[in-house]
Amino acid sequence: MNSLSYQGLVRDHQEGRTITVNGTGQVLTRPDAASAQVGFVNLDTDIRKAQGVNSSTIQKITSALIQAGVPQENIQTAEYSVTPQYEFIDGKQVFRGYEVSHILAVTIEDVDQTGYIIDTAVSQGANRINRIQFTLKRPQAAYQKALQIALGNALASAQTIANTMNLKLDQTPIQIIEKDGGRAVPRSFAQAEMVSSGAAPIEPGELKTSARVEVKFQYYS
């Protein structure tokens, strides 16, 4: 919580009384950054074969993503695991094989290409889409706009109260306190539905950024 006080007013604070109001502001912004986790999971009783198939598939996916315009530095391993898998049959534990999972974290610089990038990965064998997230490259800019709206909202509320009570409002705040405003909340998809033709139907939508303030003004009768 940040607090900002204005000092050196023409009038002594003691000459007037104060009114405290709350203000809220909200802006909707189209995301300009995206990320996704894509990968391949396979199972085989031969651990070397399982790892080999997984490795070759991930290489195909990576090469295709680079050819699709994703810089190599924007493709990183987010998760890699080899896990023995068992199942119970007639009350007995039966070994099924080794599950190999390799998940890539992909940063997508052109939001409009998100569906195409994911579709490209799927066409090369990706069978896991764990997370798609849309964010803002400059979230602070959106927050500043929301903060301006919140301050204007607080001033309007204070002025309405003063007018209703036939009071004179000093529009220069004595104190402004930023409350726990919400920065843009990333829009996430836990899983994407893939289609057999065309890019995955993924729309970035809009992100909501909010700000809240508590503002104190002086008023005079």
Side-chain angles (χ1 to χ4, degrees), residues 2-168:
N2 298 321
S3 177
L4 176 62
S5 297
Y6 288 85
Q7 305 295 332
L9 298 178
V10 175
R11 300 184 182 90
D12 187 336
H13 293 174
Q14 299 302 319
E15 294 179 3
R17 285 173 284 185
T18 63
I19 180 173
T20 300
V21 294
N22 292 311
T24 59
Q26 178 179 298
V27 296
L28 295 176
T29 311
R30 191 177 189 276
D32 58 5
S35 63
Q37 290 188 349
V38 302
F40 179 64
V41 179
N42 63 305
L43 182 73
D44 199 288
T45 54
D46 186 325
I47 188 170
R48 291 187 177 181
K49 184 178 179 181
Q51 289 178 311
V53 170
N54 190 285
S55 177
S56 63
T57 303
I58 289 296
Q59 288 177 8
K60 286 173 55 181
I61 293 171
T62 301
S63 296
L65 292 178
I66 293 174
Q67 290 180 4
V70 180
Q72 188 166 4
E73 60 269 23
N74 286 2
I75 305 172
Q76 299 178 339
T77 294
E79 173 191 329
Y80 181 82
S81 64
V82 179
T83 310
Q85 297 294 313
Y86 299 88
E87 63 181 348
F88 283 91
I89 300 178
D90 296 329
K92 296 182 179 180
Q93 189 180 57
V94 179
F95 176 67
R96 295 181 58 240
Y98 295 96
E99 181 182 88
V100 182
S101 174
H102 192 162
I103 306 298
L104 301 173
V106 183
T107 299
I108 304 168
E109 297 179 353
D110 185 348
V111 172
D112 293 330
Q113 293 295 306
T114 302
Y116 169 68
I117 294 301
I118 292 172
D119 194 60
T120 297
V122 172
S123 70
Q124 297 301 312
N127 58 8
R128 287 292 185 275
I129 308 298
N130 290 346
R131 187 182 184 188
I132 303 170
Q133 188 176 76
F134 294 101
T135 58
L136 297 175
K137 294 177 182 176
R138 298 176 61 237
Q140 188 63 23
Y143 177 72
Q144 293 300 327
K145 291 181 180 179
L147 187 59
Q148 289 177 351
I149 296 172
L151 289 169
N153 179 263
L155 176 58
S157 296
Q159 190 65 66
T160 297
I161 294 172
N163 292 344
T164 302
M165 303 301 293
N166 294 318
L167 302 171
K168 183 178 180 180

